C-alpha cells in the first residue's frame, strides 16, 4: 500500500478544517532559516556551478570520501524512483517493515519484491534495500554489517534519510572499505532534518558510473534554485546542526515521557519521530485527531502509532492537552 504521512487533506476531510498540528511525518518542525535568495534563484534556470556547489557541500557534510560521487535530486523520493532503472528487473529484497515507497517503485518497474526480516535474508538478490535508521521502528544497523551485505548482493541501496542526527550509522565515511566489486547507492534527504521538505532536495551517492546513469535519467535541472541556495547554506552551518542534534535528542526523551504517561510503550524511532505500541492505534489516532493533532498509522499493525516531534512550546502544550 502506497500510503504516506503528511496527508492532512484526508484528516481535514474526516475531522474538519482549521489549524492542525501535523505530526504524521518525521520532518523537523523548527526548520533551518531560509537564506536570502538572489533574484536569479527564482528567475533563472539553475546553473551547473550551483548544482556542483551543493553536491560538494553535501559530500563534505556526509563525510563521503573521494571515489564516492554525489547527485542532487528533488528529494530522496526522486532517487527512489531512479534506483529500479539502474539494473534489469529481477529479484529485489527489502528489509522490512519499512518506508513503503521502495517496494512500490521497484514493483512499478517490473521487479519481484520480497520483504525480509534480517540482513542475512537479503543475500543473493539483484537489489537489496535497507533503511538506516529505519522508518518507522528506528532499527539501526552497524556500517560494517551493511558493507558485508554489499558484497553478497547485486546492488545495495541504503536509505539514510534520517541519518543526519545519527552520523555514526552512515556507510559513507567507510566507502573505501566496500568489498571489491560491490556496488552500493546511498540516499540522503535534506528536508527532514533541516525541516524544509517543501524545497524537495535530496541526494544519491554512489560509484561514478552509477551516478552518471542517474544524472542522465534525472535530466539537466533536477533541483530548483531556492533548494540549491538553502542546501549550500545549511550544510555549511555546523553550529545550527550541532544545536539541532542536541535539541532533538532532548525532545525525543520528552516525547517518550509524554507517551509513557498515556500508557504507550516505545517501539523505536529516531530523534525526528517516535513509534509507540498503543492498545488501539485507530482509537488513539482518532482521539488525537479530535484535538486536531494528526499522526501516522500503519496498515500492518493495529497497535503502532508514529508521531513526529512538536517544535515550539505552544505545539508541545497542544499535544500535551490532546493526550491528557
Amino acid at each position: 500500500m502506497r500510503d504516506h504521512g503528511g496527508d492532512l487533506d484526508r484528516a481535514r476531510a474526516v475531522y474538519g478544517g482549521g489549524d492542525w498540528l501535523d505530526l504524521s511525518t518525521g520532518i523537523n518542525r523548527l526548520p533551518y532559516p531560509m537564506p536570502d535568495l538572489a533574484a536569479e534563484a527564482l528567475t533563472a534556470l539553475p546553473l551547473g556551478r550551483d548544482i556542483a556547489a551543493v553536491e560538494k557541500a553535501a559530500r563534505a557534510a556526509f563525510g563521503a570520501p573521494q571515489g564516492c560521487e554525489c547527485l542532487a535530486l528533488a528529494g530522496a523520493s526522486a532517487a527512489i524512483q531512479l534506483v529500479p532503472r539502474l539494473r534489469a528487473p529481477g529479484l529485489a529484497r527489502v528489509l522490512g517493515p519499512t518506508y513503503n515507497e521502495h517496494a512500490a517503485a521497484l514493483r512499478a518497474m517490473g521487479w519481484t519484491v520480497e520483504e525480509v526480516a534480517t540482513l542475512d535474508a537479503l543475500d543473493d538478490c539483484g537489489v537489496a534495500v535497507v533503511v538506516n535508521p529505519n522508518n518507522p521502528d528506528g532499527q539501526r544497523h552497524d556500517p560494517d554489517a551493511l558493507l558485508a551485505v554489499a558484497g553478497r548482493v547485486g546492488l545495495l541501496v541504503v536509505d539514510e534519510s534520517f541519518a543526519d542526527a545519527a552520523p555514526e550509522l552512515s556507510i559513507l565515511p567507510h566507502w573505501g572499505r566496500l568489498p571489491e566489486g560491490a556496488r552500493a547507492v546511498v540516499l540522503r534527504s535534506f528536508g527532514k532534518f533541516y525541516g524544509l521538505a517543501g524545497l524537495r532536495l535530496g541526494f544519491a551517492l554512489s560509484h561514478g558510473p552509477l551516478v552518471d546513469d542517474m544524472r542522465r535519467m534525472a535530466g539537466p535541472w533536477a533541483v530548483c534554485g531556492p533548494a540549491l541556495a538553502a542546501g549550500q547554506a545549511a550544510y555549511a552551518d555546523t553550529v545550527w546542526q550541532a544545536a539541532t542534534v542536541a535539541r532533538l535528542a532532548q525532545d525525543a526523551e520528552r516525547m517518550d515521557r509524554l507517551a509513557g504517561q498515556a500508557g504507550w510503550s516505545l517501539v523505536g524511532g529516531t530523534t525526528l519521530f517516535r513509534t509507540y505500541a498503543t492498545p488501539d492505534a485507530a482509537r488513539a489516532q482518532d482521539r488525537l485527531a479530535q484535538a486536531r493533532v494528526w499522526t501516522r498509522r500503519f496498515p500492518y499493525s493495529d497497535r503502532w502509532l508514529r508521531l513526529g516531534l512538536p517544535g515550539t512550546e505552544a505545539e508541545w502544550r497542544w499535544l500535551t492537552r490532546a493526550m491528557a
Side-chain angles (χ1 to χ4, degrees):
M1 185 178 295
R2 215 161 177 165
D3 61 313
H4 304 95
D7 53 343
L8 270 181
D9 286 345
R10 185 166 70 88
R12 289 179 171 128
V14 175
Y15 297 97
D19 293 333
W20 280 78
L21 174 58
D22 185 7
L23 301 183
S24 67
T25 72
I27 298 168
N28 182 359
R29 292 191 61 84
L30 292 179
Y32 186 79
M34 273 293 292
D36 293 333
L37 297 177
E40 290 79 7
L42 293 170
T43 61
L45 290 171
L47 296 176
R49 69 185 184 194
D50 294 326
I51 296 170
V54 80
E55 291 172 350
K56 180 179 179 180
R59 284 182 68 252
F62 304 154
Q66 294 295 324
C68 181
E69 301 301 323
C70 181
L71 169 64
L73 293 162
S77 59
I80 291 172
Q81 308 309 312
L82 296 181
V83 163
R85 301 166 61 187
L86 292 174
R87 298 172 64 92
L91 174 63
R93 293 192 172 113
V94 178
L95 186 65
T98 193
Y99 182 53
N100 60 42
E101 198 63 30
H102 288 285
L106 286 159
R107 289 191 177 102
M109 292 301 296
W111 286 81
T112 299
V113 181
E114 296 178 353
E115 182 177 299
V116 300
T118 66
L119 288 180
D120 287 343
L122 294 168
D123 289 3
D124 302 320
C125 64
V127 169
V129 179
V130 179
V131 180
N132 191 39
N134 190 43
N135 172 18
D137 62 6
Q139 187 175 13
R140 298 156 67 96
H141 302 282
D142 183 81
D144 286 338
L146 296 180
L147 294 174
V149 171
R152 305 195 301 263
V153 301
L155 176 67
L156 174 65
V157 179
V158 184
D159 184 342
E160 297 183 353
S161 289
F162 289 99
D164 292 85
E168 70 279 4
L169 297 181
S170 177
I171 70 169
L172 290 171
H174 311 282
W175 190 260
R177 295 197 291 111
L178 277 168
E180 184 176 358
R183 290 292 176 262
V185 176
V186 176
L187 312 183
R188 297 292 294 243
S189 169
F190 174 77
K192 295 178 177 64
F193 178 75
Y194 292 94
L196 297 171
L199 286 178
R200 308 312 305 137
L201 178 62
F203 301 88
L205 297 99
S206 186
H207 310 82
L210 288 179
V211 170
D212 290 343
D213 288 344
M214 297 178 82
R215 195 180 298 277
R216 283 191 292 270
M217 289 187 282
W221 303 294
V223 180
C224 69
L228 296 174
Q232 289 182 59
Y235 283 126
D237 195 340
T238 55
V239 173
W240 186 92
Q241 293 164 18
T244 299
V245 168
R247 175 185 61 81
L248 289 172
Q250 294 176 348
D251 285 353
E253 293 178 356
R254 182 176 181 179
M255 177 69 86
D256 290 347
R257 291 193 298 271
L258 188 60
Q261 293 168 7
W264 301 350
S265 60
L266 180 67
V267 173
T270 71
T271 57
L272 284 165
F273 65 83
R274 313 300 280 171
T275 299
Y276 301 102
T278 71
D280 185 328
R283 183 177 179 183
Q285 184 184 56
D286 176 74
R287 181 162 60 90
L288 291 174
Q290 299 290 347
R292 299 300 189 269
V293 176
W294 193 229
T295 57
R296 175 84 158 88
R297 286 197 295 126
F298 300 93
Y300 46 79
S301 174
D302 59 5
R303 298 187 63 205
W304 285 13
L305 192 70
R306 193 192 69 189
L307 291 82
L309 305 184
T312 65
E313 281 302 313
E315 291 183 350
W316 279 103
R317 291 193 294 270
W318 187 345
L319 177 61
T320 300
R321 288 193 300 269
M323 293 182 66

